[in-house]
Amino acid sequence: MALGSGLGNGMITANLASISGEMGLYLAEANILLAVYVAFNATANLMLVKARVQFGIPATMHVVLGALMAAQVVQLLHPTLGTAILARAVSGLASGGLTTLSLYNIFQVFPVKSRPVAAVIGFSLPQLAIPLARMFPLSAIAPLGWQGLHLIELAMALAAWAMLNLMPLPPVERGKVFEPLDAVTVMLTITSMLLICTVCALGRYYWWTDAAWLGWALAAAIPMLALALFIEDRRERPLLLVRWFGTKEIVFFILVAIVVRLALSEQTYAAIGLLTLGGLTSDQLHPLFATVMVAMAAGIATVALTLRPDRVVPTIMVAAVIIGLGAWLDTHSTSLTRPPELYLSQALLGFGTTLFLGPALLFGIGQIITRGPNYLVSFIVLFSTTQNVGGLAGSALLSTIQVGRARAHSERLAEALSTGAPAVVKRIATYAHLLESRVTDPTALRQQANGLLGQALSGQANVLAFNDAFWVVTILAFGIATFIAGMTLLARLQAGTAQPAQVTP
């Protein structure tokens, strides 16, 4: 169930460029599929938490899984952009339900005293779907218009539905909890998240300052989100406890969670982008992601075996340092970098990912325990939003930096090259020699040789730009680790000065 929550979207993310061509779309247009999934996944628990209380867990998940299976069947029978968007929306909603369902099931395995460990494992397991998605062979999912992707997601939904029936969860207390204003909050939140995620997913393709509709989308999203929070703040029984979001502890959590999630985009965007630039396909990256998957599993095991309430903040700091170290190792990449050179760095990033999630979750659980179960929905929505929207925003940030720096490096390299320089003349002559068996016209031969030189220059500029993106991640990760260390030291100093002095009689 945990793997099913993210496997389908992971495979679509890994193969989106090819899928867009099959659908007759530009890559920029196809990215709307990612935006829709993230928006619905981030807000899924706004609807599902109360639905589970009012209708019960099995009934709620039967409806959700049934909708997911129906959406995949429709997409298989009538593959269009509209049905694909519908399938992604339902998949995002179902993903939130499957994550929680996997958590409920793992709770049945552990004794009550080990529930925090179970929670850490349950929330970390879905992360394994990301490297697993990139390990599926193209021969299994690409034929028949990439219908293999939808067949796999349909199969995972069927398997989850079967397990839900074969291993029913114990009954829970039910009651009437839905209120009319819930629908208003849900609609406002989903619409605003759709607009924000669309801007994050498409901004780098249409470019932020070139497409006016990007600004209008944000201008519409922010008031809608503010209105939803205003309504919740004035309700007697709100879905979201808005004032809690402004407390010192939660602001600290939001800052750390978003920055770490931004840093983790190094693996999903920058490292993959660098290898794709070198001409590698996903089939050639299987050993790399097998390594990442093992490292993630090791991170989950490490947290489960070592985590205690007093180690939460230090563990998050260590995770940030490990992520920064992995990103720093990647800053030395060249155009000849291949997966074996990235095994260590990407393993560190994978380990850091699951090492961070467990303590971050436990931090939130600690806040809920001290304040009461009414804060559960607010924390789950907050945690899901920082991780999902933060990941999308991280890819948008790194891609924007990479594109901008590639232009700057390209201009600098072009200025440094003189057409009369011996090295340039020699390189053009080499290209011309490679082409002369196919191009007989001297003018065309020279033009094509110069074009190949331009392509080589552009490739080198992009590699340098990816290294700059790796540096940004390095600075972000080490910066948040330093910030956590500083806040921890300040808190201890304040605690020390607050203690009354000991007076010797």
Side-chain angles (χ1 to χ4, degrees):
M1 289 180 179
L3 293 178
S5 67
L7 187 62
N9 190 67
M11 288 192 295
I12 286 180
T13 303
N15 301 285
L16 190 62
S18 301
I19 295 170
S20 62
E22 180 67 32
M23 296 177 65
L25 302 173
Y26 291 108
L27 182 58
E29 297 170 325
N31 268 267
I32 192 68
L33 301 179
L34 303 183
V36 169
Y37 175 87
V38 170
F40 275 85
N41 187 241
T43 55
N45 282 293
L46 277 174
M47 297 174 280
L48 294 179
V49 170
K50 281 197 171 183
R52 285 190 288 262
V53 174
Q54 183 155 333
F55 304 110
I57 296 171
T60 300
M61 287 310 301
H62 277 308
V63 172
V64 170
L65 290 174
L68 177 60
M69 290 184 281
Q72 296 302 325
V73 170
V74 170
Q75 170 64 15
L76 287 167
L77 296 177
H78 188 60
T80 64
L81 178 60
T83 56
I85 290 175
L86 174 64
R88 291 296 89 216
V90 177
S91 180
L93 181 65
S95 176
L98 283 170
T99 300
T100 309
L101 197 56
S102 66
L103 185 64
Y104 285 146
N105 276 281
I106 207 167
F107 277 165
Q108 311 311 311
V109 179
F110 285 78
V112 174
K113 65 179 182 180
S114 300
R115 286 288 169 84
V117 174
V120 167
I121 296 174
F123 268 99
S124 299
L125 282 176
Q127 298 299 315
L128 299 179
I130 298 173
L132 182 63
R134 293 187 177 271
M135 293 168 61
F136 273 80
L138 290 175
S139 59
I141 57 177
L144 301 176
W146 293 89
Q147 289 195 1
L149 292 173
H150 306 290
L151 287 171
I152 290 172
E153 194 161 19
L154 175 60
M156 296 297 288
L158 285 166
W161 179 80
M163 287 186 286
L164 184 62
N165 286 281
L166 291 172
M167 294 177 287
L169 292 166
V172 295
E173 185 179 346
R174 292 165 57 180
K176 189 175 181 180
V177 292
F178 274 115
E179 299 178 10
L181 276 178
D182 291 342
V184 178
T185 298
V186 168
M187 291 304 298
L188 286 171
T189 306
I190 289 179
T191 305
S192 61
M193 280 296 170
L194 272 171
L195 292 172
I196 292 170
C197 291
T198 299
V199 171
C200 290
L202 306 186
R204 60 186 167 122
Y205 294 101
Y206 291 95
W207 203 246
W208 310 99
T209 55
D210 291 347
W213 66 266
L214 293 171
W216 286 113
L218 280 179
I222 294 173
M224 277 193 288
L225 187 59
L227 178 59
L229 295 177
F230 177 80
I231 292 172
E232 290 300 296
D233 189 45
R234 296 296 186 271
R235 291 178 63 183
E236 184 179 350
R237 291 182 295 274
L239 273 173
L240 299 174
L241 297 162
V242 177
R243 294 182 186 271
W244 182 54
F245 292 157
T247 59
K248 179 177 64 176
E249 295 83 5
I250 297 304
V251 170
F252 172 80
F253 170 79
I254 293 172
L255 175 64
V256 172
I258 289 178
V259 172
V260 172
R261 198 67 211 179
L262 289 174
L264 291 172
S265 299
E266 194 265 37
Q267 187 169 75
T268 55
Y269 169 75
I272 299 301
L274 176 69
L275 295 173
T276 303
L277 182 68
L280 276 70
T281 65
S282 60
D283 279 352
Q284 295 169 294
L285 306 181
H286 291 174
L288 174 63
F289 283 100
T291 304
V292 171
M293 191 169 180
V294 171
M296 282 185 164
I300 296 173
T302 301
V303 172
L305 293 172
T306 63
L307 193 60
R308 296 202 313 254
D310 60 329
R311 294 178 180 172
V312 168
V313 175
T315 305
I316 293 175
M317 183 176 66
V318 170
V321 171
I322 291 173
I323 292 167
L325 179 60
W328 175 77
L329 291 173
D330 286 344
T331 59
H332 302 84
S333 300
T334 69
S335 57
L336 299 178
T337 296
R338 292 297 179 265
E341 285 81 39
L342 300 182
Y343 284 169
L344 177 59
S345 63
Q346 296 307 302
L348 288 172
L349 284 161
F351 184 82
T353 299
T354 48
L355 192 66
F356 159 75
L357 282 176
L361 177 68
L362 202 59
F363 178 87
I365 291 174
Q367 296 295 313
I368 294 169
I369 290 173
T370 59
R371 294 175 179 269
N374 291 336
Y375 289 77
L376 178 62
V377 178
S378 298
F379 174 72
I380 291 176
V381 172
L382 179 65
F383 187 79
S384 178
T385 302
T386 58
Q387 296 307 294
N388 286 282
V389 182
L392 195 61
S395 295
L397 172 66
L398 293 186
S399 62
T400 301
I401 292 171
Q402 194 272 331
V403 170
R405 293 301 299 162
R407 292 173 181 171
H409 284 301
S410 183
E411 292 173 1
R412 190 173 296 112
L413 290 173
E415 291 173 358
L417 290 179
S418 171
T419 54
V424 175
V425 173
K426 183 178 180 180
R427 177 63 67 91
I428 293 175
T430 302
Y431 288 142
H433 178 70
L434 295 173
L435 294 170
E436 61 185 5
S437 61
R438 290 171 289 169
V439 182
T440 56
D441 181 77
T443 303
L445 181 64
R446 186 166 55 254
Q447 289 176 346
Q448 292 195 27
N450 287 330
L452 289 176
L453 179 63
Q455 291 177 16
L457 184 146
S458 176
Q460 187 60 39
N462 275 283
V463 170
L464 294 173
F466 276 116
N467 282 341
D468 291 340
F470 295 142
W471 271 115
V472 170
V473 173
T474 303
I475 294 169
L476 279 174
F478 285 141
I480 200 66
T482 304
F483 171 76
I484 294 172
M487 293 293 291
T488 304
L489 180 61
L490 180 62
R492 289 182 178 179
L493 289 174
Q494 290 175 343
T497 56
Q499 293 177 356
Q502 298 292 325
V503 179
T504 303

